[in-house]
Amino acid sequence: MSSASSQQPLLTDRETFARSYRVGHILGKGGFGTVYAGTRVRDGHPVAIKHVPKSSVTAWGQVNDTRVPLEYCLLRQVSQCNGVVRLLDACDTGDVFVVVMERMESCKDLFDFITERGALPETMAKNFFRQVVEAVIQCHRAGVVHRDIKDENILVDLKTLTLKLIDFGSGAYVKDTYFTDFDGTRVYSPPEWINHRRYMGTPATVWSMGILLYDMVCGDIPFEENEQIVSAVLNFPTSSSGHQIVSRQCQDLIRNLLEYSPSDRPSLEQILSHPWFYPDVEVTKVDDCSPSDCLAAMESSSPTTTSSSAGSIPVPSPRRASFTLGGSLPYSLTPSASTASSSRNSMTEEVDLLDCEYAMEAVIYHEEQWDH
């Protein structure tokens, strides 16, 4: 076990645990359990308390010769990684395994954040996406693959705009062989899983990051049906005047993350070397944009001004319920089925000379950088 995980708390006995926390309202509910808002008695510190019925646990691990849910083992391993929710305590109560994690008092999951505000300005999306990539890199270096990267599993601190990756219920240990099981979210799964029921951890993670970035800058996911996933054909929204809304640099990055062949996708580290992250690409540097500036930019931008060539693209409200296959535990619930619009499927992307010029630049860049 790594030194980071060895520093994490061991299981607390039932009596001590019962005296240590006050349990409040439900924050979220999923296939693997229920998350409650809670308070640590000794200092009033806000916590999230996850109750996992042992009957729902599909993967087990061991900590000091004690049989525990694999999710707890993975959380111990990544809890010291920046950008990951911190594990505070745990208890085996008999039929239920309880995990206590940090809780931000002013937060919202990224799904709700995008649903309420629409597509994010690229400056904000770049800030958010960099945080997610860096957190996932640290997790992989710690030996853990999340396997359910999506907007619902990312918390946004509304005061600082810092992000936290949550819910490792679908996770596993990193390995250099194929995974043949998947408990994540279908619309974030890669073509190789749909076609062959197997995938490698890192390329599949990179694919899900491409879905996430598209979601950030377009306000919705690019694919809904299996046929769309395996075709991997991308369409980007345009303004009412027909101009591309998403920058060519950002489009290029998304296309590379969503390459059909796993071997053609970049590594996690290579993602951060893409020109979209370069300071001179954007008018405003990410570091120059304070949280209040970013939020002000969000408020001033109107999602209703964006449209495809076939009409406007509404931001669908409830997308969660029909997409989740495994143990996602969102911090808020939307109990209706997906009403995602299919209008984006009919969008056509205009290609001009500048697009062709940039495509050539992208080819040269990939030959020089990414293939190494």
XYZ file of all heavy atoms in Angstrom, residues 124-190:
540
model
N -13.414 29.795 -18.831
C -13.830 29.017 -17.670
C -13.678 27.520 -17.935
O -13.195 26.773 -17.066
C -15.278 29.337 -17.300
C -15.808 28.500 -16.144
S -17.527 28.901 -15.731
C -17.290 30.419 -14.796
N -14.069 27.074 -19.121
C -13.955 25.655 -19.464
C -12.503 25.200 -19.400
O -12.197 24.101 -18.929
C -14.538 25.398 -20.851
N -11.607 26.056 -19.853
C -10.183 25.720 -19.811
C -9.702 25.574 -18.376
O -8.969 24.635 -18.034
C -9.371 26.797 -20.524
C -7.884 26.494 -20.653
C -7.131 27.645 -21.289
C -7.599 27.927 -22.699
N -6.776 28.974 -23.360
N -10.127 26.474 -17.516
C -9.780 26.406 -16.101
C -10.310 25.113 -15.487
O -9.583 24.367 -14.809
C -10.356 27.627 -15.383
C -10.054 27.649 -13.899
O -9.178 26.933 -13.428
N -10.791 28.456 -13.158
N -11.587 24.821 -15.717
C -12.206 23.617 -15.168
C -11.551 22.349 -15.716
O -11.232 21.421 -14.963
C -13.701 23.598 -15.499
C -14.547 24.484 -14.625
C -13.977 25.369 -13.726
C -15.940 24.424 -14.697
C -14.754 26.188 -12.914
C -16.732 25.228 -13.893
C -16.140 26.110 -13.008
N -11.381 22.304 -17.028
C -10.889 21.078 -17.653
C -9.462 20.773 -17.224
O -9.110 19.614 -17.001
C -10.975 21.203 -19.172
C -10.787 19.899 -19.891
C -11.694 18.865 -19.729
C -9.710 19.701 -20.752
C -11.537 17.651 -20.391
C -9.540 18.503 -21.416
C -10.458 17.478 -21.236
N -8.640 21.824 -17.098
C -7.281 21.607 -16.628
C -7.282 20.981 -15.232
O -6.504 20.058 -14.954
C -6.492 22.917 -16.609
C -5.054 22.733 -16.089
C -4.319 24.047 -15.928
N -3.834 24.545 -17.206
C -4.253 25.662 -17.781
N -5.192 26.391 -17.187
N -3.763 26.045 -18.933
N -8.152 21.470 -14.362
C -8.235 20.914 -13.013
C -8.607 19.431 -13.041
O -8.039 18.623 -12.306
C -9.263 21.678 -12.184
C -8.866 23.108 -11.838
C -9.900 23.762 -10.944
O -10.193 23.299 -9.839
N -10.499 24.849 -11.421
N -9.565 19.082 -13.895
C -9.996 17.689 -13.979
C -8.870 16.811 -14.510
O -8.581 15.729 -13.962
C -11.251 17.543 -14.862
C -11.631 16.076 -15.014
C -12.418 18.321 -14.269
N -8.218 17.246 -15.579
C -7.125 16.465 -16.159
C -6.023 16.240 -15.130
O -5.514 15.127 -14.958
C -6.558 17.146 -17.421
C -5.328 16.392 -17.935
C -7.614 17.216 -18.511
N -5.647 17.300 -14.427
C -4.578 17.171 -13.430
C -4.980 16.229 -12.303
O -4.153 15.447 -11.806
C -4.209 18.552 -12.889
C -3.509 19.437 -13.932
C -3.249 20.848 -13.428
O -3.855 21.239 -12.397
O -2.469 21.574 -14.067
N -6.243 16.281 -11.879
C -6.709 15.379 -10.824
C -6.680 13.926 -11.296
O -6.254 13.027 -10.562
C -8.122 15.766 -10.380
N -7.118 13.693 -12.527
C -7.143 12.330 -13.063
C -5.725 11.795 -13.239
O -5.451 10.612 -12.966
C -7.921 12.296 -14.389
C -7.799 10.924 -15.046
C -9.393 12.622 -14.149
N -4.808 12.643 -13.673
C -3.408 12.227 -13.791
C -2.886 11.772 -12.439
O -2.223 10.722 -12.324
C -2.549 13.376 -14.349
C -2.842 13.585 -15.845
C -1.056 13.087 -14.146
C -2.150 14.793 -16.439
N -3.158 12.543 -11.395
C -2.701 12.164 -10.061
C -3.317 10.843 -9.614
O -2.647 10.011 -8.993
C -3.032 13.271 -9.060
C -2.209 14.533 -9.234
C -2.436 15.523 -8.105
O -2.251 15.205 -6.934
N -2.853 16.721 -8.452
N -4.602 10.649 -9.917
C -5.249 9.388 -9.558
C -4.568 8.204 -10.238
O -4.298 7.175 -9.612
C -6.722 9.419 -9.938
S -7.761 10.494 -8.906
N -4.276 8.343 -11.534
C -3.628 7.250 -12.254
C -2.231 6.988 -11.710
O -1.818 5.823 -11.608
C -3.579 7.573 -13.749
C -4.883 7.345 -14.454
N -4.979 6.788 -15.717
C -6.162 7.605 -14.069
C -6.250 6.705 -16.069
N -6.979 7.211 -15.094
N -1.531 8.044 -11.357
C -0.195 7.855 -10.776
C -0.268 7.188 -9.412
O 0.666 6.510 -8.988
C 0.529 9.197 -10.685
C 0.935 9.749 -12.054
C 1.571 11.123 -11.957
N 1.961 11.617 -13.279
C 2.415 12.844 -13.519
N 2.518 13.715 -12.514
N 2.755 13.203 -14.748
N -1.401 7.378 -8.731
C -1.615 6.714 -7.442
C -2.147 5.299 -7.615
O -2.391 4.603 -6.627
C -2.588 7.534 -6.587
N -2.343 4.889 -8.874
C -2.760 3.520 -9.140
C -4.254 3.297 -9.235
O -4.719 2.164 -9.159
N -5.035 4.384 -9.435
C -6.499 4.273 -9.451
C -7.057 4.869 -10.740
O -6.692 5.979 -11.131
C -7.115 4.997 -8.232
C -8.639 5.040 -8.343
C -6.696 4.305 -6.940
N -7.954 4.124 -11.389
C -8.676 4.626 -12.552
C -10.142 4.790 -12.148
O -10.750 3.874 -11.601
C -8.528 3.681 -13.767
C -8.935 2.254 -13.445
C -9.320 4.208 -14.958
N -10.696 5.977 -12.378
C -12.037 6.320 -11.889
C -13.135 5.577 -12.641
O -14.090 5.087 -12.032
C -12.243 7.837 -12.034
C -13.498 8.349 -11.401
N -14.735 8.247 -12.010
C -13.722 8.988 -10.222
C -15.659 8.785 -11.235
N -15.069 9.245 -10.152
N -13.055 5.531 -13.935
C -13.964 4.802 -14.833
C -15.392 5.371 -14.912
O -16.267 4.734 -15.484
C -14.031 3.306 -14.483
C -12.710 2.584 -14.637
C -12.888 1.102 -14.844
N -13.571 0.448 -13.727
C -13.875 -0.851 -13.718
N -13.571 -1.615 -14.759
N -14.475 -1.383 -12.672
N -15.613 6.547 -14.355
C -16.925 7.184 -14.523
C -16.772 8.701 -14.490
O -17.500 9.406 -13.778
C -17.897 6.713 -13.444
C -19.363 6.998 -13.813
O -19.631 7.252 -15.009
O -20.215 6.971 -12.911
N -15.804 9.214 -15.279
C -15.599 10.651 -15.363
C -16.785 11.270 -16.097
O -17.061 10.927 -17.249
C -14.300 10.984 -16.116
C -13.090 10.335 -15.442
C -14.114 12.501 -16.220
C -12.800 10.857 -14.060
N -17.495 12.177 -15.459
C -18.630 12.873 -16.069
C -18.973 14.083 -15.223
O -18.475 14.242 -14.092
C -19.841 11.953 -16.195
C -20.353 11.399 -14.865
C -21.577 10.516 -15.087
C -22.101 9.945 -13.771
N -23.311 9.130 -13.976
N -19.831 14.943 -15.745
C -20.148 16.186 -15.046
C -20.815 15.953 -13.693
O -20.626 16.731 -12.757
C -21.006 17.108 -15.924
C -22.237 16.421 -16.514
O -22.546 15.280 -16.117
O -22.889 17.030 -17.395
N -21.586 14.882 -13.551
C -22.254 14.615 -12.278
C -21.281 14.239 -11.165
O -21.599 14.386 -9.980
C -23.269 13.478 -12.440
C -24.421 13.802 -13.362
C -25.306 12.585 -13.573
O -25.810 12.051 -12.571
O -25.478 12.163 -14.723
N -20.103 13.752 -11.537
C -19.119 13.305 -10.555
C -18.028 14.334 -10.316
O -16.928 13.997 -9.870
C -18.510 11.970 -10.988
C -19.491 10.826 -10.816
O -20.417 10.903 -10.012
N -19.291 9.757 -11.575
N -18.341 15.582 -10.623
C -17.406 16.686 -10.387
C -18.142 17.779 -9.628
O -19.187 18.255 -10.076
C -16.859 17.243 -11.714
C -16.085 16.154 -12.466
C -15.980 18.460 -11.474
C -15.759 16.518 -13.903
N -17.610 18.161 -8.478
C -18.210 19.223 -7.676
C -17.486 20.544 -7.937
O -16.259 20.581 -8.011
C -18.146 18.895 -6.183
C -18.982 17.717 -5.682
C -18.840 17.593 -4.170
C -20.448 17.885 -6.067
N -18.262 21.614 -8.046
C -17.714 22.960 -8.257
C -17.902 23.765 -6.968
O -19.033 23.920 -6.494
C -18.426 23.685 -9.416
C -17.817 25.067 -9.633
C -18.382 22.856 -10.685
N -16.819 24.255 -6.398
C -16.898 25.177 -5.270
C -17.300 26.540 -5.840
O -16.541 27.162 -6.586
C -15.544 25.271 -4.558
C -15.611 26.091 -3.274
O -16.316 27.119 -3.254
O -14.950 25.711 -2.295
N -18.490 27.003 -5.494
C -19.020 28.228 -6.091
C -18.300 29.482 -5.620
O -18.431 30.543 -6.241
C -20.520 28.341 -5.791
C -21.380 27.183 -6.331
C -22.833 27.380 -5.930
C -21.242 27.067 -7.842
N -17.549 29.377 -4.540
C -16.801 30.538 -4.044
C -15.449 30.685 -4.734
O -14.998 31.795 -4.999
C -16.609 30.421 -2.529
C -17.900 30.494 -1.724
C -17.618 30.372 -0.234
C -18.904 30.470 0.585
N -18.648 30.302 2.046
N -14.796 29.566 -5.001
C -13.431 29.613 -5.538
C -13.326 29.066 -6.956
O -12.288 29.221 -7.602
C -12.479 28.811 -4.637
O -12.873 27.425 -4.671
C -12.531 29.317 -3.203
N -14.376 28.408 -7.441
C -14.378 27.733 -8.731
C -13.312 26.647 -8.824
O -12.773 26.368 -9.897
C -14.227 28.734 -9.882
C -15.390 29.699 -10.085
C -15.175 30.546 -11.336
C -16.722 28.959 -10.175
N -12.994 26.039 -7.690
C -12.142 24.855 -7.695
C -13.029 23.621 -7.782
O -14.174 23.622 -7.319
C -11.265 24.777 -6.435
O -12.099 24.842 -5.262
C -10.272 25.918 -6.404
N -12.500 22.562 -8.386
C -13.266 21.353 -8.644
C -12.774 20.186 -7.797
O -11.593 20.118 -7.445
C -13.172 20.974 -10.125
C -14.187 21.594 -11.093
C -14.270 23.111 -10.955
C -13.877 21.202 -12.525
N -13.696 19.274 -7.498
C -13.363 18.049 -6.771
C -13.992 16.858 -7.490
O -15.190 16.866 -7.792
C -13.895 18.096 -5.333
C -13.220 19.120 -4.428
C -11.873 18.623 -3.931
C -11.296 19.584 -2.879
N -10.001 19.106 -2.354
N -13.192 15.840 -7.738
C -13.674 14.607 -8.336
C -14.242 13.716 -7.242
O -13.608 13.512 -6.200
C -12.519 13.902 -9.046
C -12.823 12.650 -9.864
C -13.800 12.967 -10.990
C -11.521 12.074 -10.421
N -15.466 13.198 -7.448
C -16.128 12.386 -6.434
C -16.555 11.049 -7.028
O -16.460 10.822 -8.226
C -17.360 13.105 -5.845
C -18.426 13.324 -6.935
C -16.967 14.429 -5.206
C -19.764 13.817 -6.401
N -17.051 10.166 -6.163
C -17.698 8.902 -6.492
C -16.785 7.939 -7.253
O -16.781 7.888 -8.487
C -18.988 9.131 -7.276
C -19.885 7.893 -7.248
O -19.402 6.825 -6.833
O -21.059 8.008 -7.627
N -16.045 7.141 -6.499
C -15.172 6.125 -7.072
C -15.829 4.749 -7.034
O -15.143 3.721 -7.066
C -13.832 6.112 -6.328
C -12.935 7.267 -6.688
C -13.197 8.545 -6.197
C -11.847 7.098 -7.521
C -12.382 9.622 -6.524
C -11.035 8.165 -7.866
C -11.299 9.432 -7.361
N -17.147 4.723 -6.994
C -17.880 3.464 -6.915
C -17.737 2.583 -8.141
O -17.978 1.379 -8.068
N -17.353 3.163 -9.273
C -17.136 2.374 -10.492
C -15.649 2.180 -10.780
O -15.287 1.629 -11.829
C -17.788 3.075 -11.700
O -19.177 3.219 -11.520
N -14.798 2.624 -9.861
C -13.355 2.635 -10.087
C -12.690 1.280 -9.964
O -13.294 0.277 -9.603
N -11.400 1.274 -10.277
C -10.593 0.060 -10.207
C -9.131 0.453 -10.074
O -8.776 1.626 -10.188
C -10.794 -0.794 -11.460
N -8.290 -0.544 -9.819
C -6.859 -0.292 -9.816
C -6.353 -0.237 -11.254
O -6.836 -0.968 -12.133
C -6.122 -1.396 -9.053
C -6.361 -1.377 -7.564
C -7.065 -2.401 -6.936
C -5.887 -0.323 -6.774
C -7.294 -2.388 -5.575
C -6.110 -0.299 -5.405
C -6.811 -1.328 -4.808
O -7.039 -1.304 -3.460
N -5.395 0.631 -11.494
C -4.784 0.739 -12.813
C -4.119 -0.594 -13.176
O -3.497 -1.242 -12.327
C -3.738 1.870 -12.834
C -2.916 1.830 -14.106
C -4.422 3.234 -12.687
N -4.279 -1.011 -14.431
C -3.597 -2.213 -14.913
C -3.280 -2.030 -16.385
O -3.860 -1.174 -17.071
C -4.466 -3.455 -14.700
C -5.791 -3.460 -15.433
C -6.550 -4.755 -15.170
C -7.852 -4.835 -15.966
N -8.556 -6.112 -15.752
N -2.337 -2.836 -16.895
C -1.918 -2.695 -18.287
C -2.546 -3.749 -19.181
O -2.035 -4.049 -20.266
C -0.388 -2.738 -18.392
C 0.208 -4.009 -17.793
O -0.573 -4.897 -17.379
O 1.450 -4.113 -17.743
N -3.661 -4.311 -18.735
C -4.422 -5.246 -19.550
C -5.850 -4.723 -19.703
O -6.224 -3.728 -19.083
C -4.446 -6.646 -18.903
O -4.975 -6.543 -17.574
C -3.043 -7.241 -18.851
N -6.643 -5.404 -20.518
C -7.998 -4.948 -20.803
C -8.925 -5.089 -19.597
O -8.834 -6.055 -18.829
C -8.593 -5.745 -21.959
C -8.048 -5.376 -23.312
C -7.135 -6.202 -23.964
C -8.451 -4.203 -23.954
C -6.634 -5.869 -25.213
C -7.951 -3.860 -25.203
C -7.048 -4.696 -25.819
O -6.549 -4.355 -27.058
N -9.822 -4.126 -19.452
C -10.970 -4.268 -18.560
C -12.105 -4.894 -19.370
O -12.327 -4.537 -20.533
C -11.426 -2.901 -18.031
C -10.515 -2.291 -17.017
C -9.576 -1.336 -17.399
C -10.583 -2.657 -15.681
C -8.727 -0.756 -16.459
C -9.746 -2.093 -14.735
C -8.812 -1.142 -15.125
N -12.830 -5.810 -18.754
C -13.966 -6.447 -19.428
C -15.267 -6.215 -18.662
O -16.264 -6.875 -18.928
C -13.719 -7.956 -19.595
O -13.465 -8.536 -18.300
C -12.536 -8.218 -20.518
N -15.237 -5.301 -17.712
C -16.444 -4.912 -16.977
C -16.559 -3.395 -17.013
O -15.561 -2.689 -17.131
C -16.390 -5.403 -15.523
C -15.250 -4.756 -14.741
O -14.085 -4.886 -15.177
O -15.523 -4.095 -13.720
N -17.792 -2.909 -16.905
C -18.017 -1.463 -16.953
C -19.281 -1.119 -16.180
O -20.362 -1.603 -16.511
C -18.152 -1.002 -18.408
C -18.365 0.479 -18.567
C -17.327 1.369 -18.400
C -19.627 0.981 -18.881
C -17.524 2.732 -18.552
C -19.830 2.340 -19.035
C -18.771 3.223 -18.864
N -19.140 -0.314 -15.122
C -20.278 0.121 -14.327
C -20.490 1.625 -14.437
O -21.213 2.209 -13.640
C -20.075 -0.245 -12.842
C -20.383 -1.703 -12.570
O -21.275 -2.250 -13.239
O -19.726 -2.301 -11.699
N -19.863 2.232 -15.415
C -19.945 3.680 -15.542
C -21.191 4.131 -16.280
O -22.254 3.521 -16.184
N -21.072 5.198 -17.043
C -22.206 5.819 -17.721
C -22.083 5.589 -19.221
O -21.083 5.972 -19.822
C -22.241 7.328 -17.395
O -22.267 7.485 -15.975
C -23.461 7.987 -17.998
N -23.097 4.987 -19.816
C -23.018 4.526 -21.199
C -22.620 5.621 -22.178
O -21.781 5.400 -23.065
C -24.366 3.922 -21.616
C -24.390 3.426 -23.067
C -25.777 2.926 -23.445
N -26.784 3.970 -23.268
C -27.020 4.937 -24.131
N -26.301 5.029 -25.231
N -27.966 5.842 -23.900
N -23.227 6.813 -22.054
C -22.952 7.857 -23.042
C -21.555 8.444 -22.912
O -21.129 9.239 -23.751
C -24.007 8.982 -22.958
C -25.354 8.477 -23.443
C -24.105 9.536 -21.536
N -20.813 8.078 -21.880
C -19.412 8.470 -21.733
C -18.474 7.310 -22.066
O -17.260 7.456 -21.984
C -19.125 8.941 -20.310
C -19.559 10.361 -20.010
C -20.889 10.668 -19.753
C -18.637 11.404 -19.976
C -21.296 11.970 -19.476
C -19.023 12.707 -19.698
C -20.358 12.981 -19.453
O -20.755 14.268 -19.174
N -19.019 6.153 -22.426
C -18.194 4.977 -22.708
C -17.638 5.038 -24.123
O -18.254 5.608 -25.028
C -19.013 3.701 -22.516
O -20.064 3.623 -23.478
N -16.464 4.432 -24.368
C -15.808 4.527 -25.673
C -16.340 3.494 -26.667
O -16.989 2.515 -26.280
C -14.340 4.241 -25.329
C -14.429 3.286 -24.174
C -15.625 3.743 -23.371
